[in-house]
């Protein structure tokens, strides 16, 4: 099996898994907070926040990547401070690929979690609140167990999206073999070489297998959400 792909191709697959894992892990707490705010709170600018969350879905990925480069590049208004004070660099690093993948996958995560929260009867939370429980405690003991399948579904969808991210990633961190070359970037690279169709086909099969596994798992989790909410 190890001979099926070259070491460089395996590095691209491993990097994609690494990037997707960290993209989802780091964005998950913020995703839960934003989903809860959109589902339960009424505040000025709510629709603006909702629009900003979903903006990566409608913007061309290259535009998102360019905005990330302007913001988190070494000379960006955020990236320059991160580099100067913390030595943290995103542009043309695998960490930048994780950031780009996380930004592109964030809307899918938030939407799945928000739907799960909206399906929970607010009266259950209100009942716990009337007993004197603080809001964070109510969320941890009442809301979180009920929305956990929805969170898992959002995580899986975000992971699958991050695995397939290409446009924003290649714009922000380029396509450096062994450093920033993810699976989609590797497929693009071999297709630029005459006779690279066979090599690309192998990588495509790996990408399809991972994506299908994630989608099937997401479907199973979604059904578990429905059964749990209905009490079946």
């Amino acid at each position: 099996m190890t001979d099926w792909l070259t070491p460089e191709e395996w590095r691209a697959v491993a990097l994609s898994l690494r990037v997707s894992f960290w993209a989802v892990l780091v964005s998950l707490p913020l995703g839960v907070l934003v989903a809860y705010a959109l589902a339960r709170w009424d505040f000025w600018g709510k629709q603006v926040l909702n629009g900003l969350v979903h903006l990566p879905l409608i913007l061309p990925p290259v535009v998102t990547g360019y905005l990330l480069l302007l913001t988190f590049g070494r000379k960006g208004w955020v990236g320059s401070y991160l580099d100067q004070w913390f030595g943290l660099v995103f542009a043309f690093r695998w960490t930048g690929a994780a950031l780009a993948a996380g930004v592109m996958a964030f809307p899918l995560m938030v939407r799945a979690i928000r739907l799960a929260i909206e399906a929970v009867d607010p009266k259950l939370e209100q009942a716990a609140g009337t007993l004197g429980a603080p809001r964070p405690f109510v969320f941890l003991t009442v809301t979180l167990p009920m929305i956990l399948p929805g969170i898992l579904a959002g995580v899986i969808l975000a992971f699958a999206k991050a695995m397939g991210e290409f446009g924003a990633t290649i714009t922000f961190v380029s396509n450096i073999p062994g450093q920033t070359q993810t699976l989609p970037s590797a497929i693009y690279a071999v297709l630029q070489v005459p006779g690279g169709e066979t090599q690309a086909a192998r990588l495509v099969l790996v990408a399809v297998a991972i994506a299908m596994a994630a989608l099937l798992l997401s479907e199973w989790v979604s059904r578990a959400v429905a059964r749990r909410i209905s009490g079946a």
Side-chain angles (χ1 to χ4, degrees), residues 1-24:
M1 181 65 179
T2 56
D3 295 333
W4 192 51
L5 297 178
T6 66
E8 184 176 301
E9 291 168 345
W10 278 118
R11 282 195 293 270
V13 174
L15 181 60
S16 286
L17 293 171
R18 181 186 185 187
V19 163
S20 301
F21 172 80
W22 283 106
V24 172

Side-chain angles (χ1 to χ4, degrees), residues 97-216:
L99 175 61
V103 168
M104 296 300 294
F106 193 70
L108 297 178
M109 177 191 293
V110 170
R111 183 167 180 81
I113 299 174
R114 179 182 179 180
L115 291 175
I117 295 173
E118 290 176 343
V120 176
D121 190 348
K123 294 180 180 178
L124 297 175
E125 299 170 323
Q126 294 169 3
T130 57
L131 297 176
R135 181 172 293 181
F137 184 79
V138 172
F139 176 81
L140 291 175
T141 59
V142 177
T143 310
L144 184 59
M146 299 185 71
I147 68 172
L148 185 57
I151 292 177
L152 293 176
V155 165
I156 295 168
L157 287 174
F159 183 85
K161 173 63 177 176
M163 279 291 299
E165 169 50 35
F166 172 72
T169 301
I170 200 170
T171 304
F172 185 37
V173 300
S174 189
N175 186 13
I176 307 172
Q179 298 184 41
T180 64
Q181 187 177 78
T182 58
L183 183 56
S185 300
I187 294 173
Y188 173 80
V190 298
L191 285 175
Q192 307 309 304
V193 180
E197 291 80 4
T198 302
Q199 188 178 2
R202 294 198 303 266
L203 293 172
V204 167
L205 287 176
V206 174
V208 169
I210 295 174
M212 284 299 299
L215 289 174
L216 290 174

Side-chain angles (χ1 to χ4, degrees), residues 3-141:
D3 295 333
W4 192 51
L5 297 178
T6 66
E8 184 176 301
E9 291 168 345
W10 278 118
R11 282 195 293 270
V13 174
L15 181 60
S16 286
L17 293 171
R18 181 186 185 187
V19 163
S20 301
F21 172 80
W22 283 106
V24 172
L25 183 66
V26 173
S27 61
L28 180 58
L30 180 60
V32 174
L33 177 62
V34 171
Y36 189 86
L38 293 176
R40 288 286 189 262
W41 299 344
D42 290 320
F43 54 91
W44 184 89
K46 181 177 180 178
Q47 294 306 317
V48 175
L49 175 61
N50 186 54
L52 290 175
V53 168
H54 291 88
L55 197 59
L57 290 180
I58 57 178
L59 279 178
V62 174
V63 174
T64 302
Y66 179 66
L67 292 176
L68 287 173
L69 189 60
L70 290 179
T71 305
F72 292 97
R74 286 197 175 215
K75 296 183 179 179
W77 63 278
V78 174
S80 59
Y81 288 102
L82 292 176
D83 184 19
Q84 180 180 356
W85 294 101
F86 302 100
L88 185 59
V89 178
F90 286 102
F92 308 107
R93 303 284 180 87
W94 77 267
T95 50
L99 175 61
V103 168
M104 296 300 294
F106 193 70
L108 297 178
M109 177 191 293
V110 170
R111 183 167 180 81
I113 299 174
R114 179 182 179 180
L115 291 175
I117 295 173
E118 290 176 343
V120 176
D121 190 348
K123 294 180 180 178
L124 297 175
E125 299 170 323
Q126 294 169 3
T130 57
L131 297 176
R135 181 172 293 181
F137 184 79
V138 172
F139 176 81
L140 291 175
T141 59

